[in-house]
Amino acid sequence: VNETEIIRKLFSPLAATEGAFGLRDDAALLPAGDYVVTKDLMVAGVHFLESDPPDLVARKLLRVNLSDLAAKGARPVGYFLGCVWPAKIKRETIARFAEGLTVDQETFRISLYGGDTARHVAPDAPLMLSVTMFGAPPRQEFVRRSGASPGDDLYVTGTIGDAGLGLAALRKELACAKAAKEFFVERYRLPTPRLTMGGALSGLASAALDVSDGLIVDAGRLAEAGGLAAEIQTAAIPLSAPGADWLSGEDDPHAAYARLATAGDDYEILFAAPPTRRRAVEMAAKVSKTPVARIGQLAKGEGVRLVSQDGEEIDTGAGGYDHFAS
Amino acid sequence: VNETEIIRKLFSPLAATEGAFGLRDDAALLPAGDYVVTKDLMVAGVHFLESDPPDLVARKLLRVNLSDLAAKGARPVGYFLGCVWPAKIKRETIARFAEGLTVDQETFRISLYGGDTARHVAPDAPLMLSVTMFGAPPRQEFVRRSGASPGDDLYVTGTIGDAGLGLAALRKELACAKAAKEFFVERYRLPTPRLTMGGALSGLASAALDVSDGLIVDAGRLAEAGGLAAEIQTAAIPLSAPGADWLSGEDDPHAAYARLATAGDDYEILFAAPPTRRRAVEMAAKVSKTPVARIGQLAKGEGVRLVSQDGEEIDTGAGGYDHFAS
């Protein structure tokens, strides 16, 4: 096994598009256009587990980047891939990783355009993955993180907290039925980028971002970008059936809500829109076949409040994952 | 120290250009245009040493990517940055790293457009850096790796082997005078992207790439992309004065040439051009104030031969660095 063989056999077939030169050059040439570009890293032990299947790791890598493009209303086109493999990597693992890329390249109609690959010298250094993904801007405006106004509603797609429970289950920190565990783990390993709904948000949402580090911390980012405060009602947070089951079995429902709302890895779109557009948001959700829930409001002020049905404010700690908190 | 503070204070000032949104969004919006894009990774212990100063690591990171754009004749515009810091990273190290970026952003008139940052959980996992850099294509044609013809001359910019000696010196595997050591180490830590000469190569060179893994292996890539063989004459390989000094002190000059020509980290441009363009190449070198040496020729066939002054073929082993050779 050598570097050239790995690139030629496993990765070049993923770069069949014009301008990628089949990965046989030092740079790619993008077709003329405007581009929305995002970059998300994934590191074993931080963003995924070493035990996660390599094909699902590859698909998650694409999907977390697709999720960023979705939140901006962009249509994905292609990506650049960086991989630093562990010292003891086997060719078979890389092949399974490339298979995962193949599956999701077809699902999302994107192409590999270039990249770089290396191998760690340090014996236990973890797999490190980096993607820079680009797409076409939405026909109407690019949906910024800022842009929300006081009084705007706050919405989120899909369901919240499943992936966090999946991670806990994989770490054997969660007791639940086998079917529920499988559901949570699937949600952790394979997020669903909300591209169709994201496209519909252009011209509709006043602000948007994807929920990656936790609903509370990401709501804080959206609010802060607009110089606002956010309030989220626990009862309005959309839960999956297994998520609701788990919650109903918890002794402290406030702590359970806080856990779901700060768990991260949801990769749903959080967005704001004025109340006058409630009907339009409903229509967009219907047309794009995407569950959307109205979970709160934005107001003058700062910070995020998570409020229970009885009006009590729930402590959410740091609100989500911070890579530098120690 | 938290993630938001680090991004706001240390990295946002590097992203003052329009479309980067001061790193306060999930994606950047590139100005309309054609783009040449490249991606090069750097990992501590593989592409640089843990003991290298953080500001120089940052500058090398930009320069190895700039070197790829230079070899394609592209004019750099901006980049996306991915960093995975060691678990025990200090804010001061990140600050020095950002200072290095600042210096070379000004030198090369480029801007940060976006990125992602994370921290390892594993205690000894190394610093991992990833850059995706984009630029404007050359006015004339994009210089491909393929495109050379039998009979074309082979040229290289600058000098070869200094960086490899610098790495050996840092690893205490090289005995030489202090001034020579400083020179070699500087060449290892701070390559010079040949952007002006690269720009001049568009419409002049038949093929080009940057020498990153070793002159021999990269000459092999250029030759193979054109379905050709390459021959390089040792006496024509451009050496720095300290490099020539080192060579003259070696007992086995053939082995010494092989070492210089396979050492890697040169980040010079290797290019081919028909003999009818020798005068034009000389002029381009003069105008761009870039040393250029004619080191060999391309011919029908395959493989790379390194030939000594007495006509003997020199064994160059694998020809350079292969991340997957074990």
Side-chain angles (χ1 to χ4, degrees):
Chain A
V1 174
N2 66 50
E3 192 177 332
T4 306
E5 193 270 344
I6 284 175
I7 293 169
R8 293 278 164 86
K9 292 276 171 61
L10 301 179
F11 292 103
S12 288
L14 302 174
T17 190
E18 205 191 328
F21 306 124
L23 308 183
R24 287 167 183 266
D25 215 306
D26 306 79
L29 197 52
L30 302 195
D34 293 297
Y35 289 106
V36 177
V37 188
T38 188
K39 183 185 187 79
D40 262 2
L41 296 164
M42 283 188 7
V43 183
V46 181
H47 304 88
F48 63 97
L49 300 174
E50 310 235 2
S51 55
D52 285 337
D55 56 328
L56 296 188
V57 170
R59 295 171 70 190
K60 182 169 181 173
L61 177 66
L62 295 181
R63 287 164 181 238
V64 302
N65 279 280
L66 287 162
S67 177
D68 277 316
L69 291 186
K72 305 289 110 178
R75 183 180 55 74
V77 172
Y79 66 102
F80 292 80
L81 173 67
C83 304
V84 186
W85 300 97
K88 289 176 192 159
I89 190 71
K90 291 177 181 158
R91 188 185 187 284
E92 190 199 325
T93 305
I94 303 178
R96 284 186 63 201
F97 178 84
E99 281 166 24
L101 295 178
T102 306
V103 169
D104 270 359
Q105 282 195 195
E106 283 171 23
T107 304
F108 299 103
R109 298 184 189 178
I110 54 176
S111 177
L112 177 62
Y113 272 77
D116 194 13
T117 188
R119 197 173 64 151
H120 283 295
V121 171
D124 298 316
L127 173 58
M128 198 294 311
L129 301 163
S130 170
V131 156
T132 303
M133 190 172 280
F134 59 98
R139 251 168 283 177
Q140 297 189 52
E141 71 207 53
F142 176 88
V143 187
R144 293 289 314 273
R145 235 191 226 194
S146 56
S149 299
D152 279 3
D153 294 318
L154 201 55
Y155 298 87
V156 74
T157 61
T159 57
I160 292 297
D162 300 323
L165 295 176
L167 175 60
L170 287 168
R171 286 177 169 162
K172 307 198 188 304
E173 294 164 5
L174 188 82
C176 67
K178 197 180 164 210
K181 182 183 162 176
E182 279 173 10
F183 172 82
F184 294 140
V185 167
E186 166 95 7
R187 289 275 289 158
Y188 174 70
R189 288 180 170 162
L190 210 58
T192 304
R194 303 292 186 180
L195 287 158
T196 315
M197 184 65 197
L201 288 181
S202 168
L204 185 59
S206 53
L209 50 64
D210 81 322
V211 181
S212 54
D213 292 334
L215 177 64
I216 298 299
V217 72
D218 285 315
R221 286 169 182 158
L222 186 147
E224 200 243 345
L228 300 170
E231 183 173 302
I232 294 172
Q233 285 85 39
T234 54
I237 296 175
L239 302 181
S240 65
D245 270 359
W246 171 83
L247 186 87
S248 68
E250 289 293 289
D251 292 335
D252 181 346
H254 286 193
Y257 268 118
R259 178 170 174 178
L260 296 175
T262 58
D265 282 309
D266 294 305
Y267 299 104
E268 298 291 349
I269 304 180
L270 179 75
F271 65 97
T276 52
R277 292 190 186 150
R278 283 184 190 175
R279 180 102 187 87
V281 169
E282 270 172 43
M283 283 301 295
K286 201 168 177 180
V287 169
S288 68
K289 292 174 184 154
T290 307
V292 173
R294 182 153 49 85
I295 58 169
Q297 314 78 35
L298 294 156
K300 284 181 186 170
E302 59 180 26
V304 185
R305 297 174 72 226
L306 179 64
V307 180
S308 74
Q309 244 172 324
D310 48 23
E312 204 177 317
E313 186 175 344
I314 296 173
D315 180 15
T316 56
Y321 193 78
D322 183 318
H323 287 285
F324 290 88
S326 47
Chain B
V1 173
N2 66 51
E3 193 177 333
T4 306
E5 193 271 345
I6 284 176
I7 293 169
R8 293 277 163 87
K9 292 276 172 60
L10 301 180
F11 292 104
S12 289
L14 302 173
T17 191
E18 204 191 328
F21 306 123
L23 307 182
R24 286 169 184 264
D25 215 307
D26 306 79
L29 197 52
L30 302 196
D34 294 300
Y35 288 106
V36 177
V37 188
T38 189
K39 184 186 187 80
D40 263 2
L41 296 164
M42 284 189 4
V43 182
V46 181
H47 304 86
F48 63 97
L49 300 175
E50 311 235 3
S51 54
D52 285 336
D55 56 329
L56 296 188
V57 170
R59 295 171 69 190
K60 181 169 182 174
L61 177 65
L62 295 182
R63 287 164 181 238
V64 303
N65 280 280
L66 288 162
S67 177
D68 277 316
L69 292 186
K72 305 289 111 180
R75 183 179 55 76
V77 173
Y79 67 102
F80 292 80
L81 173 66
C83 304
V84 186
W85 300 97
K88 289 176 192 159
I89 190 71
K90 290 177 184 158
R91 188 186 188 282
E92 191 199 323
T93 306
I94 304 178
R96 286 186 61 200
F97 178 84
E99 281 166 25
L101 295 178
T102 306
V103 169
D104 270 0
Q105 282 196 194
E106 282 170 21
T107 303
F108 299 104
R109 297 183 189 181
I110 53 177
S111 177
L112 176 62
Y113 272 77
D116 194 13
T117 189
R119 198 173 64 150
H120 283 295
V121 171
D124 297 317
L127 173 58
M128 198 294 310
L129 301 163
S130 170
V131 157
T132 303
M133 190 172 279
F134 59 98
R139 251 169 283 175
Q140 297 190 52
E141 71 207 50
F142 177 88
V143 187
R144 294 289 315 274
R145 233 191 228 194
S146 56
S149 300
D152 278 3
D153 295 318
L154 202 54
Y155 297 86
V156 74
T157 61
T159 57
I160 292 296
D162 300 323
L165 295 176
L167 176 59
L170 286 168
R171 285 178 171 162
K172 304 194 189 308
E173 294 165 3
L174 188 82
C176 68
K178 198 181 162 210
K181 182 183 162 176
E182 278 173 11
F183 172 82
F184 295 141
V185 166
E186 166 94 7
R187 290 274 289 158
Y188 174 70
R189 287 180 171 163
L190 210 57
T192 304
R194 303 293 186 178
L195 287 158
T196 316
M197 184 66 197
L201 288 180
S202 169
L204 185 60
S206 54
L209 51 64
D210 82 322
V211 182
S212 54
D213 292 335
L215 178 64
I216 299 299
V217 73
D218 285 315
R221 286 168 182 158
L222 186 146
E224 201 243 345
L228 300 170
E231 184 173 301
I232 293 172
Q233 286 84 39
T234 54
I237 295 175
L239 302 181
S240 64
D245 270 358
W246 171 82
L247 186 88
S248 67
E250 289 292 290
D251 293 335
D252 182 347
H254 286 192
Y257 267 119
R259 181 171 173 178
L260 295 176
T262 59
D265 282 310
D266 294 306
Y267 299 105
E268 297 292 349
I269 304 180
L270 180 74
F271 65 96
T276 52
R277 291 190 187 150
R278 283 185 189 174
R279 181 101 187 88
V281 169
E282 269 171 44
M283 282 301 295
K286 201 169 178 182
V287 168
S288 69
K289 292 175 184 153
T290 307
V292 173
R294 182 153 50 83
I295 58 168
Q297 314 77 36
L298 294 157
K300 284 182 185 168
E302 59 180 25
V304 185
R305 297 175 70 227
L306 179 64
V307 180
S308 74
Q309 243 171 326
D310 48 22
E312 205 176 315
E313 186 174 345
I314 297 173
D315 180 15
T316 55
Y321 193 80
D322 183 319
H323 287 283
F324 290 90
S326 48

